[in-house]
Amino acid sequence: MNNVSLVGRITQAPELKLVGEERFCTKFNLAVDRYLGSTQKDEKRNEGKPTADFPRITVWGKIAENCCKYLDKGALVSITGKVSTSRFEKEDGDIVYMTEIVADRVQFLESLHSENKQ
């Protein structure tokens, strides 16, 4: 089963991009807190201290438009979606793998709507 649910803060203001003739998209990173527990042997010295992960989030369609219209850097959101991994070959022949979360739903837990976004 490929389901992801995350709560975190947006690390940069979402920007709307037109893909093709009619499809909108936005991408942003989400800062998600992670507390280190005693089961992570190598990180035992940091036990109980917070750290963060920064997964890349991709949003399509009307949801992308709403994210760009109502959200700004630092806004707290809940994301549900699926993990997607893609690969491409660089000019030098190296293969690069990219993992991102493709959001099916973005719930605004708070809005940091700035005046210049209107």
Side-chain angles (χ1 to χ4, degrees), residues 1-112:
M1 182 170 24
N2 185 354
N3 287 322
V4 175
S5 180
L6 300 168
V7 174
R9 294 197 179 273
I10 295 174
T11 62
Q12 73 275 355
E15 293 182 21
L16 197 60
K17 294 183 178 164
L18 184 60
V19 178
E21 293 183 24
E22 299 179 2
R23 204 149 179 224
F24 288 106
C25 176
T26 188
K27 294 185 180 198
F28 53 84
N29 287 73
L30 196 66
V32 179
D33 289 337
R34 176 170 42 106
Y35 288 86
L36 303 176
S38 59
T39 59
Q40 292 158 320
K41 201 173 177 182
D42 295 337
E43 299 172 343
K44 184 127 178 125
R45 68 184 186 287
N46 293 324
E47 185 176 338
K49 295 180 182 174
T51 187
D53 293 306
F54 299 92
R56 185 76 167 159
I57 310 297
T58 300
V59 187
W60 292 94
K62 188 67 174 172
I63 300 170
E65 291 180 66
N66 287 335
C67 286
C68 292
K69 186 174 181 180
Y70 296 110
L71 296 176
D72 209 345
K73 178 180 177 179
L76 185 65
V77 296
S78 171
I79 305 283
T80 56
K82 296 175 178 24
V83 175
S84 175
T85 303
S86 57
R87 66 175 239 166
F88 66 91
E89 188 172 338
K90 292 175 26 177
E91 291 178 14
D92 62 5
D94 287 345
I95 295 179
V96 177
Y97 291 90
M98 294 180 55
T99 301
E100 62 187 356
I101 307 301
V102 179
D104 297 326
R105 182 176 178 197
V106 178
Q107 185 175 2
F108 305 168
L109 301 178
E110 69 181 14
S111 176
L112 298 178

